[in-house]
Amino acid sequence: MTTSLERGTGRFRRVVDVATALALLGCVTFGALLRFPGFHQPREEWPAVALATVTCLALLQARDRPRAAATVAMACAAATFAQGYLPTPLLLAPLMLSLYWVAARTDRRTARIFGLAAMTVVVITALLDNPTTDMLLLRTVGPVLWLLLPIVGGSRARLRAAYLESVQARAVYAERNREEEARLRVAEERMRIARELHDVVAHHMAVANAQAGTARHLVPTRPEQALKLLDELTVTTSSALIELRATVGVLRQSGDQDGESLEPAPGLDRLPDLVSTYASAGLDVAVTTEGEPRPLSPGVDLTAYRIIQEALTNVTKHGTGQGADVRLSYGQSRLLISVTNDATATATAPAAAGGYGLMGMRERAHSVGGDLRAGPRPQGGFEVSTALPLHSLAPEELEAAP
């Protein structure tokens, strides 16, 4: 169903085509009336005007049928110049317009064929009627030069139209995919926030659960130690609230000036505090550092901290032993981390660790260009090991990394 804009554009084009045809008819009439000294051409102008009328009627359909219009224009031009008219630009005007539409609406090969055919027909018919040398250049070189102009102009118009069409197609494609790209970015951000929330909640709630359970058993026999554990439970829950507020703080609007300043993201500098919280929950954690510690980029620092945190949380929830070993090995370009449960894990430990916690650890390691492996040890227990670059990789480097 055509719109009112399309109908209006079609009417405007028809008006322009009719006006152009009338103007061309006037040019041919004026060209047939011209007389040139030393050159004899028919005294009557009506044959040229009649043939030009036929050509102009054909040109009304030149936009849609350029080949047919050009064929009619060549035939009428041949009949005109065969009567002895001098091929001036005024008499060539209808043929020039038809060649323009051929070059603009068809391919390059078709434009060349019709252009050469028109030049050949005009030159031959102009020479057959008067083979003398009178105005020879105007009857040979002149028509060739004049007929080249519309072919060049039409070719440029075709190329420009193709360029504009490609630009419009790219714009439509970009508009169509903009919403999908925005949806993907939102999904990635939601996954990142969910991963942060899982790490914070799983760690602190596991420690709090262990502290509360231990305090419950110590209340009848060792009330002083039970009170101490309850005080540490308060610290654990307070830390959980602080980290939750920091994590949820990324959802604030950039223009929100009333929000309180949030703590920086944790890193390996807070590893002693992390170990002490697990010690209060009854888990003995030994930390070993190999090599010279080197500064890490913020992304790698946070990733290393979260992986250790999640691995120790899994040991607290699923391991049967009371100890874990954390080993940090600094190389020239990578940091190797391993977290090992030094006792036999329960039968459900690998399956439990393979849930969102292990998935989140892998995603974190891959996000900075690292790798992570987790599984039961041959001598018993469970081990999580990861290799992280000392500096976060750029997005293009991440795509090229194996």
Side-chain angles (χ1 to χ4, degrees):
M1 182 177 180
T2 59
T3 63
S4 58
L5 179 61
E6 292 175 345
R7 290 194 296 269
T9 303
R11 286 194 295 268
F12 176 76
R13 288 180 176 178
R14 285 194 293 272
V15 172
V16 171
D17 291 341
V18 171
T20 303
L22 293 176
L24 292 176
L25 187 59
C27 290
V28 172
T29 302
F30 182 70
L33 293 174
L34 290 178
R35 295 294 182 267
F36 300 93
F39 186 83
H40 301 283
Q41 62 179 12
R43 297 181 177 274
E44 300 292 337
E45 68 275 2
W46 66 265
V49 174
L51 292 172
T53 302
V54 176
T55 304
C56 291
L57 291 176
L59 288 177
L60 295 178
Q61 302 295 324
R63 294 179 185 269
D64 301 325
R65 300 178 178 85
R67 296 179 181 85
T71 302
V72 173
M74 281 191 290
C76 293
T80 300
F81 299 124
Q83 299 177 43
Y85 291 96
L86 184 67
T88 61
L90 293 174
L91 294 178
L92 288 172
L95 180 59
M96 292 170 63
L97 182 60
S98 67
L99 292 179
Y100 171 85
W101 285 119
V102 169
R105 295 286 183 168
T106 62
D107 57 281
R108 181 185 303 177
R109 182 173 179 272
T110 302
R112 289 177 178 177
I113 292 175
F114 273 84
L116 291 175
M119 295 174 191
T120 303
V121 168
V122 171
V123 171
I124 291 178
T125 53
L127 292 176
L128 287 178
D129 182 73
N130 192 353
T132 63
T133 59
D134 296 340
M135 297 186 178
L136 184 61
L137 290 179
L138 291 180
R139 290 185 292 159
T140 55
V141 179
V144 173
L145 296 178
W146 286 112
L147 294 179
L148 278 176
L149 293 178
I151 297 176
V152 174
S155 299
R156 291 178 60 87
R158 183 186 71 251
L159 294 177
R160 179 173 177 79
Y163 171 75
L164 294 177
E165 185 178 356
S166 65
V167 170
Q168 184 178 6
R170 288 196 298 268
V172 172
Y173 177 80
E175 183 68 23
R176 187 184 303 114
N177 289 272
R178 185 179 304 168
E179 184 177 352
E180 183 64 24
E181 292 176 359
R183 189 182 300 110
L184 290 176
R185 287 195 296 267
V186 170
E188 292 175 357
E189 185 66 14
R190 288 176 59 187
M191 184 178 297
R192 188 184 69 83
I193 296 174
R195 187 166 56 239
E196 286 287 338
L197 289 175
H198 173 271
D199 292 344
V200 172
V201 173
H203 159 62
H204 289 290
M205 291 304 101
V207 174
N209 180 67
Q211 290 173 338
T214 305
R216 179 177 177 277
H217 289 288
L218 292 177
V219 166
T221 57
R222 300 177 183 177
E224 298 82 4
Q225 294 186 7
L227 290 175
K228 182 180 179 180
L229 282 175
L230 291 177
D231 292 337
E232 294 177 353
L233 176 61
T234 303
V235 175
T236 301
T237 54
S238 298
S239 300
L241 291 176
I242 292 174
E243 289 205 31
L244 281 174
R245 184 180 64 176
T247 303
V248 178
V250 300
L251 297 177
R252 295 179 183 270
Q253 296 182 357
S254 59
D256 188 3
Q257 304 295 334
D258 298 332
E260 301 178 2
S261 61
L262 303 176
E263 290 189 356
L268 291 182
D269 58 334
R270 292 177 55 179
L271 188 57
D273 297 334
L274 180 66
V275 171
S276 64
T277 59
Y278 284 104
S280 65
L283 180 65
D284 185 15
V285 181
V287 180
T288 304
T289 303
E290 298 178 354
E292 182 180 357
R294 301 172 61 182
L296 306 175
S297 64
V300 175
D301 202 14
L302 174 62
T303 299
Y305 179 87
R306 291 302 190 197
I307 289 177
I308 296 174
Q309 182 185 60
E310 179 62 25
L312 293 177
T313 300
N314 287 337
V315 173
T316 304
K317 293 191 297 183
H318 308 298
T320 59
Q322 298 299 318
D325 294 327
V326 178
R327 184 180 299 273
L328 305 176
S329 179
Y330 289 87
Q332 293 185 352
S333 60
R334 301 182 79 82
L335 169 63
L336 304 179
I337 302 174
S338 64
V339 180
T340 306
N341 183 10
D342 61 356
T344 303
T346 62
T348 60
Y356 291 109
L358 185 56
M359 183 188 306
M361 287 190 288
R362 283 203 178 95
E363 291 176 352
R364 284 187 179 278
H366 293 165
S367 67
V368 295
D371 193 13
L372 183 137
R373 296 181 181 181
R377 304 170 62 199
Q379 61 272 34
F382 200 80
E383 181 179 13
V384 175
S385 61
T386 181
L388 305 176
L390 294 181
H391 299 281
S392 299
L393 299 181
E396 57 273 12
E397 294 175 326
L398 287 176
E399 294 180 358

